[in-house]
Amino acid sequence: SQQGEEDPQALSIQEGENATMNCSYKTSINNLQWYRQNSGRGLVHLILIRSNEREKHSGRLRVTLDTSKKSSSLLITASRAADTASYFCATEGGTYKYIFGTGTRLKVLA
Amino acid sequence: DAGVIQSPRHEVTEMGQEVTLRCKPISGHNSLFWYRQTMMRGLELLIYFNNNVPIDDSGMPEDRFSAKMPNASFSTLKIQPSEPRDSAVYFCASTLYRDRGEKLFFGSGTQLSVL
């Protein structure tokens, strides 16, 4: 069964704007990760946040984690057309098992 | 580093035929995962291995699916007999799993079409 659910399912913004995607999950986790998938390609890891962390930054990416609400958000600042892709959260609960959410399709208009 | 290598890149076959998908994980990684991606069901975890041992195959949809990892550098996912509903993109991923999870490295996937 799916562990993570992303919302929104699709997001369309103008270049330069910020994009925020949310992920909710159901059970306890060791870490939560965000991945990006360009059309027709494999998934690429973006950022990992551990269960004892609340916020993490990497370049234009900012991830937050609220374990009490079982939710995470991914913020992409100053978006570019090249950020157009699908974004997935994945949770890992300590049993080698990585479960992916349903994904958010982001379209950045130039 | 060549990354995770999957073959073939595309596979078109007829219903009832056997299909074998192949994966070479990144050297030194100890965990390997097979996922299936469809529009309807998203990314489904089929099976995963740690140190070449299958840990959980509860995601394998039916007995028609089987996976093996005979050594640390090779894994196969076999579908026999194949059915049209098996059409999907199949991804292999690997990681070096220590006491806690690390990031997954994905292959480019195999696009399977069963006619």
Side-chain angles (χ1 to χ4, degrees):
Chain A
S1 62
Q2 295 278 13
Q3 167 75 308
E5 297 287 335
E6 279 97 331
D7 117 84
Q9 288 188 332
L11 180 60
S12 187
I13 59 174
Q14 293 293 130
E15 203 166 31
E17 293 180 340
N18 295 342
T20 300
M21 291 158 258
N22 302 296
C23 169
S24 60
Y25 57 93
K26 296 175 183 176
T27 60
S28 62
I29 61 171
N30 269 355
N31 66 72
L32 186 143
Q33 304 177 34
W34 286 89
Y35 289 79
R36 166 191 167 131
Q37 184 180 34
N38 286 77
S39 181
R41 308 293 293 273
L43 281 79
V44 175
H45 180 267
L46 294 175
I47 194 166
L48 179 154
I49 186 165
R50 302 213 181 266
S51 59
N52 60 351
E53 297 174 313
R54 292 295 168 259
E55 187 171 314
K56 206 161 182 181
H57 297 254
S58 177
R60 294 185 295 114
L61 305 180
R62 173 179 170 253
V63 171
T64 62
L65 178 65
D66 186 335
T67 53
S68 66
K69 294 181 180 178
K70 292 187 169 56
S71 67
S72 172
S73 67
L74 171 69
L75 168 68
I76 304 174
T77 60
S79 62
R80 306 165 181 167
D83 294 328
T84 295
S86 291
Y87 292 83
F88 295 86
C89 68
T91 54
E92 193 275 316
T95 59
Y96 314 101
K97 200 168 186 174
Y98 295 73
I99 303 295
F100 282 79
T102 51
T104 293
R105 295 187 308 280
L106 173 65
K107 188 169 186 178
V108 181
L109 305 169
Chain B
D1 194 335
V4 177
I5 299 173
Q6 290 187 247
S7 64
R9 188 77 172 89
H10 301 275
E11 177 81 32
V12 180
T13 190
E14 292 190 347
M15 185 173 65
Q17 296 298 306
E18 177 179 296
V19 174
T20 299
L21 312 181
R22 297 173 175 79
C23 175
K24 178 179 168 54
I26 291 173
S27 177
H29 282 186
N30 62 359
S31 297
L32 182 140
F33 305 78
W34 283 100
Y35 288 89
R36 177 171 71 174
Q37 187 176 36
T38 61
M39 287 295 292
M40 291 296 295
R41 301 175 69 88
L43 266 163
E44 299 175 275
L45 176 60
L46 301 178
I47 185 170
Y48 56 100
F49 297 81
N50 182 258
N51 293 325
N52 312 336
V53 175
I55 302 300
D56 186 340
D57 65 354
S58 59
M60 298 284 260
E62 299 169 36
D63 291 344
R64 298 184 296 106
F65 286 69
S66 62
K68 293 182 180 179
M69 191 163 186
N71 57 62
S73 58
F74 185 65
S75 177
T76 59
L77 178 67
K78 187 175 291 186
I79 309 172
Q80 166 64 22
S82 59
E83 296 183 5
R85 59 191 164 133
D86 302 331
S87 297
V89 181
Y90 291 80
F91 287 104
C92 174
S94 71
T95 191
L96 176 59
Y97 193 104
R98 300 183 182 91
D99 57 344
R100 55 185 186 176
E102 302 296 337
K103 64 182 181 182
L104 295 179
F105 293 80
F106 278 80
S108 298
T110 295
Q111 174 79 58
L112 174 65
S113 297
V114 183
L115 307 176

